[in-house]
Amino acid sequence: MEQLFSLTPLIPVFPLLAFAIIVLWANKSNKLSAGLAIAGIATSAVISWLVIFATLAGGHHVQVEGWSLPVPWLPTGTTVFNLGFAVDGFTAAMLFMVPIVSSLIFIYASEYMEGDPRYARFFAYVSLFVFGMLTLVVADNLLLLFISWEIMGLCSYLLIGFWFEKDSAKKAGLKAFLTTRIGDVLLFAGMLFLYSKTGTLTFRQIFEPEVLHELANATIWGMPASVLISLLIFGGAVGKSAQFPLHVWLPDAMEGPTPVSAMIHAATMVSAGVYLVARMLPLFAVVPVGALQWVAIIGAITAFFGATIGIAQNDIKRVLAYSTISQLGYMMIGLGLGGFLAGIFHLLTHSFFKALLFLGSGSVIHAMEHGAHHVGDHHTDPQDMMNMGGLAKRMQKTYIAYMAGTLALVGIVPFAGFFSKDEILADAWHKAGGFNFGSVAFWAWLAGTLGAFVTALYMGRQIGLVFLGKPRTGLSEHAVEPGKRMTYPLLVLGFFALILGFANVPENVPLIGNGWLHHFAGMIHESAGVLDLEALPLNWGLAAVATLIGLTGFLGGIALYRGQQAGQEDPMVKLLGRPLFTLLKNKYYVDEFYFAVIINPVIKLADLAAKFDYDWVINPIVNFVGNTGRWLADVSAEFDRVVVDGLGVLGTARFFKWMGKELRYTQTGQAQNYLLVIALVSLSLVGVYLFGVGF
């Protein structure tokens, strides 16, 4: 089995090779570029399965030492960083999710992106994107993780702004890049503090009990080092996983192609932040009341915040974007309450059904665009759900798959989301000890429960507007389901959305209870000794309440919107009241707040600095000095021309030239003339002498 583990460093290599070959050679052929990208991720998937098999055979608590390059990778003066890779149950679970979801997205994109002039470039970018995520997953240290983290940040910028001809896409890419950079700076600062205190960035060494104890007792700026470092690391996750208040980039990321949205929301970008917190959880937990509770608080705010905004959005992809923000909040709730397995279980299940929903929305948009071409209507927005309706009859495969993803997201038994989301809420209720209003866990449970109802409501709204009722425009009336390369990945993801929850059914459930994932991946931090890793039984009462809430919200949303007519006012306006609906539709005006408080003042400060530079101080001084220097240079040049050249060099030359010319006339060649000159000169000298003596 050790030989299979040694294949781990090869897992990210093949997408990187695909990227390099497409960029350097294959980009002239769209078919070849897509084939190379799909082959690269498929090869990584096969190798991942071999490593997963070795992990399964190795036992529940397997942790394999990393392999290092044979040469020093990064000398630091006193130590050398090694390019290490490691595998444990958590890694294996991620290696199951990332390659499968990415492979299906690549296959889907091979049809979705047909006709795009930058088809080959797209597959080069997404190959590099998945290389970053796979490297992050198998890294055994924070430095390699951070490098992979930044590669994904670059790829997200390139892919969100892929259609950069559109001003909105260009701005969205820039917004994502700058917003996530805030988190990246915090993460890097946390890494520096961690290295300064421990001398290592390798996970296994950091999680040694004595190292964690030392970090808990050391202080930085008056607080435990572990708390400050954890908060800084969490800041990186807040940016990457779009947690409040750095969530604003993720909805705008919808400007990229739909397969990119699926990659970001499911297989790569936002999963990385949750993965980071989960991987570093012992550091967060070593001080019981510290960074961990802030993870839960931010997660609870984000879960409810994102869900309520989603209920007032009409763009089919933006609804799903705010759903992702909300679901990431649930994962942070689970991790923030110390429920390692609860957080990562929802991370895994959500990746499958959210990829399904985004790809499904892409199929709907693709079908609506086909309808637009058919009727010659290029003004109606094909992503606006108010322009859809009745698509279930025209897109049966998409509808079936989309319903599977929706039911998983809503948390309807037996779909995957029921088991993973219920585990988070049950863990929160258990940690709170019931109705304990003084407990962070209780408020997290309440926010999660209310968020679950709103999630069900906006997904019922989406199903009613998109698939049910009658077509509200010519676009939806002439929509046609895409081909097999787009529909079959949806069906495969729908299958996972149905069955994946059974990977960790609590053991007190008759017949199907196994707690398998808990035993396989949930104990990897056991040796740190700072987390309560006990598996909780299914709380039947809470499960029943969650199911009832989900069904009520979902069916209520369908009932409100399945009969929606073209031009009719949104029923939610009447239900919530126009002021509240407007507040939600405008996303609590967070973007406007940032513009008013941060962006516009920064722009005005930049304008002020520009005026200070160009108009008021710097440039006038520079120009004065420049003009003075130029005037002095002109004076110097004139002095040189008139005095040095004119009187000095040229004047002397002219004088001697004149003298030579005049003296030439004395050279007659007649002896008597020369004797006459000698006589005159002699007489002159005698006269001068006599005149001088006389005085």
Side-chain angles (χ1 to χ4, degrees):
M1 290 303 166
E2 189 68 24
Q3 292 178 340
L4 293 179
F5 281 123
S6 66
L7 298 174
T8 301
L10 296 177
I11 293 174
V13 167
F14 293 96
L16 181 62
L17 286 176
F19 164 76
I21 295 172
I22 292 170
V23 169
L24 297 175
W25 176 67
N27 55 78
K28 302 298 182 184
S29 170
N30 289 345
K31 187 175 182 180
L32 179 59
S33 297
L36 285 169
I38 294 170
I41 187 60
T43 305
S44 293
V46 172
I47 298 174
S48 297
W49 294 335
L50 293 175
V51 173
I52 293 168
F53 173 75
T55 310
L56 288 168
H60 297 151
H61 308 299
V62 65
Q63 171 78 35
V64 180
E65 277 294 346
W67 293 269
S68 301
L69 288 177
V71 294
W73 176 46
L74 185 63
T76 65
T78 57
T79 59
V80 176
F81 284 114
N82 291 320
L83 188 61
F85 303 89
V87 180
D88 56 25
F90 184 23
T91 305
M94 294 296 291
L95 289 177
F96 171 77
M97 180 274 287
V98 175
I100 291 179
V101 173
S102 299
S103 298
L104 293 170
I105 292 172
F106 280 31
I107 294 169
Y108 176 98
S110 67
E111 180 179 339
Y112 185 90
M113 295 300 293
E114 282 182 349
D116 193 284
R118 293 186 290 274
Y119 185 94
R121 183 186 296 188
F122 173 85
F123 278 98
Y125 287 167
V126 292
S127 295
L128 184 63
F129 205 176
V130 78
F131 159 75
M133 185 63 187
L134 288 172
T135 306
L136 180 144
V137 168
V138 298
D140 80 335
N141 64 86
L142 267 174
L143 183 60
L144 182 57
L145 181 148
F146 184 73
I147 293 171
S148 309
W149 183 279
E150 291 301 301
I151 289 172
M152 287 196 291
L154 168 65
C155 292
S156 68
Y157 168 74
L158 296 172
L159 288 166
I160 293 169
F162 187 76
W163 289 322
F164 51 79
E165 300 88 349
K166 296 193 302 180
D167 189 58
S168 57
K170 183 170 59 178
K171 289 181 178 178
L174 185 61
K175 184 177 183 179
F177 189 79
L178 293 177
T179 305
T180 55
R181 289 295 74 75
I182 296 171
D184 294 356
V185 170
L186 296 175
L187 170 58
F188 191 66
M191 290 169 53
L192 293 178
F193 277 125
L194 181 61
Y195 183 72
S196 70
K197 291 295 182 182
T198 64
T200 182
L201 292 176
T202 302
F203 298 130
R204 171 171 287 188
Q205 295 174 358
I206 294 169
F207 300 151
E208 292 291 338
E210 57 272 16
V211 176
L212 292 174
H213 181 74
E214 179 183 343
L215 288 170
N217 291 307
T219 59
I220 302 175
W221 299 337
M223 70 173 68
S226 62
V227 174
L228 178 61
I229 293 168
S230 297
L231 288 174
L232 290 170
I233 290 173
F234 180 56
V238 167
K240 210 71 161 182
S241 289
Q243 297 294 282
F244 179 86
L246 299 181
H247 66 283
V248 291
W249 69 270
L250 191 56
D252 289 358
M254 301 304 98
E255 291 293 339
T258 297
V260 173
S261 303
M263 288 286 291
I264 290 174
H265 287 254
T268 55
M269 187 84 166
V270 298
S271 298
V274 178
Y275 176 87
L276 174 64
V277 175
R279 179 58 72 187
M280 299 299 295
L281 204 60
L283 181 64
F284 284 75
V286 67
V287 175
V289 181
L292 210 56
Q293 67 175 356
W294 284 107
V295 176
I297 291 170
I298 294 297
I301 293 171
T302 306
F304 183 73
F305 180 85
T308 53
I309 295 176
I311 205 169
Q313 305 303 308
N314 290 337
D315 185 301
I316 186 172
K317 288 170 67 176
R318 282 187 180 270
V319 172
L320 298 177
Y322 282 104
S323 168
T324 299
I325 292 172
S326 178
Q327 296 305 305
L328 291 167
Y330 280 96
M331 299 171 207
M332 292 299 184
I333 290 174
L335 295 174
L337 297 177
F340 171 76
L341 196 278
I344 69 167
F345 185 29
H346 197 52
L347 168 65
L348 296 170
T349 60
H350 175 266
S351 297
F352 282 92
F353 62 71
K354 187 50 64 71
L356 164 59
L357 290 172
F358 267 107
L359 297 184
S361 71
S363 294
V364 169
I365 295 168
H366 190 277
M368 291 286 288
E369 289 173 343
H370 179 276
H373 289 302
H374 186 274
V375 300
D377 181 0
H378 300 290
H379 300 289
T380 302
D381 186 357
Q383 295 187 196
D384 191 333
M385 297 188 298
M386 292 298 177
N387 298 326
M388 301 177 186
L391 293 181
K393 296 179 181 178
R394 293 164 179 78
M395 306 177 67
Q396 293 182 0
K397 293 178 182 176
T398 300
Y399 175 59
I400 292 171
Y402 206 91
M403 278 297 293
T406 299
L407 294 174
L409 175 59
V410 172
I412 304 301
V413 67
F415 290 87
F418 167 79
F419 294 101
S420 59
K421 188 188 293 185
D422 181 75
E423 184 156 350
I424 292 171
L425 295 178
D427 191 48
W429 180 261
H430 174 75
K431 296 287 174 53
F435 289 99
N436 181 3
F437 296 101
S439 169
V440 170
F442 169 77
W443 294 106
W445 170 83
L446 183 61
T449 302
L450 294 175
F453 173 76
V454 180
T455 298
L457 185 59
Y458 68 65
M459 289 309 297
R461 176 180 183 262
Q462 188 176 75
I463 293 294
L465 286 174
V466 175
F467 293 102
L468 304 181
K470 296 180 179 180
R472 289 184 289 279
T473 62
L475 279 65
S476 57
E477 193 172 355
H478 295 89
V480 175
E481 188 153 60
K484 294 179 180 178
R485 281 178 292 160
M486 287 178 65
T487 54
Y488 282 12
L490 298 181
L491 297 174
V492 174
L493 288 168
F495 172 73
F496 280 110
L498 174 62
I499 70 160
L500 203 59
F502 293 102
N504 197 52
V505 179
E507 295 181 357
N508 67 322
V509 178
L511 300 179
I512 60 173
N514 50 58
W516 179 83
L517 186 63
H518 173 81
H519 295 296
F520 177 63
M523 307 298 289
I524 65 165
H525 291 317
E526 186 179 31
S527 61
V530 295
L531 286 167
D532 179 11
L533 300 172
E534 180 186 1
L536 293 176
L538 180 68
N539 187 317
W540 295 95
L542 288 178
V545 170
T547 302
L548 181 61
I549 287 174
L551 283 173
T552 302
F554 183 62
L555 296 177
I558 290 177
L560 280 173
Y561 287 93
R562 67 175 302 160
Q564 182 76 6
Q565 301 296 316
Q568 184 180 354
E569 185 179 55
D570 193 315
M572 203 60 65
V573 175
K574 184 181 293 185
L575 190 66
L576 298 177
R578 186 168 296 279
L580 179 56
F581 182 82
T582 303
L583 178 68
L584 299 180
K585 190 175 183 64
N586 288 281
K587 303 159 286 187
Y588 292 98
Y589 296 99
V590 173
D591 283 277
E592 289 78 3
F593 174 79
Y594 285 163
F595 267 96
V597 175
I598 299 175
I599 298 173
N600 287 336
V602 168
I603 292 174
K604 289 180 179 179
L605 179 62
D607 291 339
L608 184 67
K611 288 185 179 295
F612 183 87
D613 186 14
Y614 289 101
D615 300 332
W616 298 340
V617 179
I618 305 299
N619 267 16
I621 292 174
V622 171
N623 291 337
F624 173 77
V625 172
N627 291 333
T628 302
R630 187 167 57 185
W631 178 79
L632 290 173
D634 291 341
V635 171
S636 175
E638 193 65 19
F639 179 83
D640 187 53
R641 185 181 67 81
V642 174
V643 178
V644 177
D645 288 344
L647 297 179
V649 178
L650 296 177
T652 302
R654 290 191 187 104
F655 173 76
F656 281 103
K657 181 180 179 182
W658 175 80
M659 286 293 293
K661 180 180 178 182
E662 295 301 321
L663 288 174
R664 229 183 308 160
Y665 294 117
T666 65
Q667 302 300 316
T668 63
Q670 297 178 358
Q672 58 269 33
N673 290 340
Y674 300 150
L675 290 172
L676 177 61
V677 171
I678 292 171
L680 291 173
V681 171
S682 298
L683 290 173
S684 298
L685 292 173
V686 170
V688 170
Y689 175 76
L690 292 175
F691 181 76
V693 171
F695 282 94

